Amino acid sequence: MSLLSSAISITRYRVNGKLDDPISDAVYSGLRKNMLPDIEDIESAQSAGWTSFQDPFTPSFEGSSFVYGNYFVFSLRIDKKTIPAKLVQKHMAIEIAKKCKATGREFLSRNEKKMIKENVISILGLRIPATPNIYNVLWNYEASQIWFFTHLKGPNEELETLFKTSFGLVLTRIFPFTFAESFPGMSGFDLDLLTPLSPTKLLR
């Protein structure tokens, strides 16, 4: 989801820790370290990495394209290959028919069908292009906060893992309890009182 969209969803994070100076160089190095790889010509079903906010389809961080005032802005792109089940069934049926004809048999064993299926998926995986999904990241370094423009579970988990791998910093998702935990003056006793509480559904 793009931060320039008319309707957006946001997940907020607290960034734990700081980078070594110069900060921009450290961010650039982390982005380059896990820049999106190209999976168009390999069998991998999914690939994830950082890409430019300005040009997400051509990953590059040359210059200062990720610096916007006091913010670092870039994108997490997840490319995924999805092979339709009916397409797999079609090619399996063709290959099974070929093998039955070549061997003079009417049926194949379960293991033979399994091997044919794996081979079909492998071949189709090389032919089918990956579908890109782009999620923008807005990093306020001074405030140690990140706005990630999606609520989806998979991309959020990918962000948390990739961010730690790239920058050596841990992200803490901000929701009412974690917000209270970081609030000045909150004691252990106060947090113990919050722990058993559960969300309240508001009726309209």
Side-chain angles (χ1 to χ4, degrees), residues 18-180:
K18 294 291 185 179
L19 298 172
D20 294 331
D21 290 326
I23 305 303
S24 293
D25 290 350
V27 173
Y28 174 78
S29 178
L31 292 173
R32 288 282 301 174
K33 180 181 178 182
N34 287 290
M35 193 165 61
L36 180 79
D38 186 5
I39 66 166
E40 292 299 329
D41 298 321
I42 59 177
E43 295 182 40
S44 299
Q46 180 172 304
S47 180
W50 308 121
T51 187
S52 168
F53 169 73
Q54 294 174 323
D55 189 6
F57 299 110
T58 309
S60 176
F61 295 101
E62 300 305 322
S64 299
S65 61
F66 58 92
V67 180
Y68 291 79
N70 296 324
Y71 297 88
F72 298 122
V73 182
F74 48 94
S75 298
L76 170 65
R77 186 172 133 197
I78 302 175
D79 287 5
K80 188 174 182 179
K81 293 185 178 183
T82 303
I83 305 173
K86 290 183 178 180
L87 190 61
V88 174
Q89 293 173 0
K90 171 189 171 182
H91 286 273
M92 274 188 67
I94 293 171
E95 295 303 316
I96 288 173
K98 285 181 181 178
K99 187 157 188 177
C100 284
K101 184 177 180 179
T103 58
R105 290 184 288 163
E106 293 185 9
F107 304 101
L108 299 182
S109 68
R110 180 179 297 177
N111 284 338
E112 286 175 314
K113 290 181 180 179
K114 182 180 178 182
M115 290 179 64
I116 288 174
K117 182 177 182 179
E118 290 174 351
N119 189 50
V120 164
I121 292 175
S122 178
I123 292 172
L124 291 176
L126 292 172
R127 296 177 183 172
I128 293 177
T131 301
N133 295 281
I134 300 164
Y135 308 96
N136 296 148
V137 181
L138 180 66
W139 184 0
N140 184 337
Y141 184 80
E142 295 301 323
S144 297
Q145 286 194 5
I146 276 181
W147 288 17
F148 186 52
F149 288 78
T150 181
H151 284 321
L152 295 176
K153 180 181 178 182
N156 274 275
E157 291 177 346
E158 193 70 55
L159 171 75
E160 294 164 18
T161 300
L162 198 61
F163 197 86
K164 183 178 181 181
T165 303
S166 302
F167 307 107
L169 303 176
V170 176
L171 296 180
T172 300
R173 199 174 303 194
I174 297 176
F175 53 92
F177 182 82
T178 56
F179 179 78

